[in-house]
Amino acid sequence: MSTSRCDLLRWQFDLTWSLAELHLDALRVEDFDWAPAEHHWTVRPDADGVWRPDWADTEPDPVPVPTIGWLSWHIDWWWSAAIDHLAGRTPPDREDVHWAGHAFAAVAQLRSLRDTWVGALDELTEAGLDRPAAYPWPADAGLTVAHLANWVNSELMKNIAEIGQLRLLRAASLAS
C-alpha cells in the first residue's frame, strides 16, 4: 500500500491535533497564568491593555519556564507565520502578534488556526510540497514546503506536550 506525502502529512497532523484536543479540552482558565517556577515567561497586558509575551532576543540561560498562556501565544505566532508563508503573504512581526487576552479566546484562536492549516494542507499537491520554503529557516537553506509542513507538525506536538505537562503539574500541585 502506498501513501502519498500529502496524505501522510495530513495523517500526522490529525494525530498531533487529536493529542492537542485532549489537553485543550481539559484546560481551565486558571491554568493559563499558572507559573511552575519563579523564573518564567508569561503574557501580560501593557499600558494600553494589549496582551504581550515576555521575550528576549537572545535566549536567557537558564531559559524561563513558559506558562500555558505564553505557549498559546507562541503557537499563535509561529503557526500564523507558517500559514502566511505558505500562502505567499508577508507574516506580521512577532511584536504585532498579541495574546488573545483570555483562555477561551486563546483556545478558539488555536482551533481557528487548525482549521486554516487543514485547508492549506488539503490544497497541497505532491508537486507543491517540493516548492521552496523560507520559513522558519533562511531562504537559502534549500528546504521545501514539505519541510515546513513537517516542522509545523513537530513544533505543534512539542508545544502541546509542554502545555499538557504544565496542565498536569498544576493539577498535581493542587492535589497535594
Side-chain angles (χ1 to χ4, degrees), residues 38-143:
E38 186 173 326
H39 186 62
H40 67 278
W41 275 350
T42 192
V43 288
R44 58 188 100 237
D46 65 14
D48 296 323
V50 176
W51 286 82
R52 299 192 183 272
D54 294 333
W55 187 263
D57 288 327
T58 302
E59 192 167 78
D61 184 19
V63 175
V65 178
T67 64
I68 291 173
W70 190 94
L71 286 164
S72 65
W73 163 81
H74 183 65
I75 295 169
D76 184 2
W77 168 48
W78 64 253
W79 207 356
S80 295
I83 289 167
D84 283 348
H85 276 278
L86 189 59
R89 297 185 299 261
T90 301
D93 292 330
R94 175 189 51 80
E95 298 83 5
D96 296 328
V97 178
H98 309 128
W99 189 62
H102 189 276
F104 297 137
V107 170
Q109 174 63 8
L110 296 182
R111 288 182 171 136
S112 176
L113 288 167
R114 178 250 176 229
D115 293 344
T116 303
W117 184 249
V118 164
L121 286 178
D122 288 348
E123 290 178 10
L124 284 176
T125 63
E126 290 293 316
L129 290 174
D130 294 328
R131 287 190 341 245
Y135 182 80
W137 37 78
D140 62 355
L143 299 176

Side-chain angles (χ1 to χ4, degrees), residues 27-34 42 67-69 72 99 103 106-107:
L27 287 172
R28 299 180 190 164
V29 171
E30 302 81 22
D31 293 336
F32 280 75
D33 63 356
W34 179 73
T42 192
T67 64
I68 291 173
S72 65
W99 189 62
V107 170

Side-chain angles (χ1 to χ4, degrees), residues 34 168-176:
W34 179 73
L168 293 170
L169 283 169
R170 181 172 183 274
S173 73
L174 294 173
S176 301

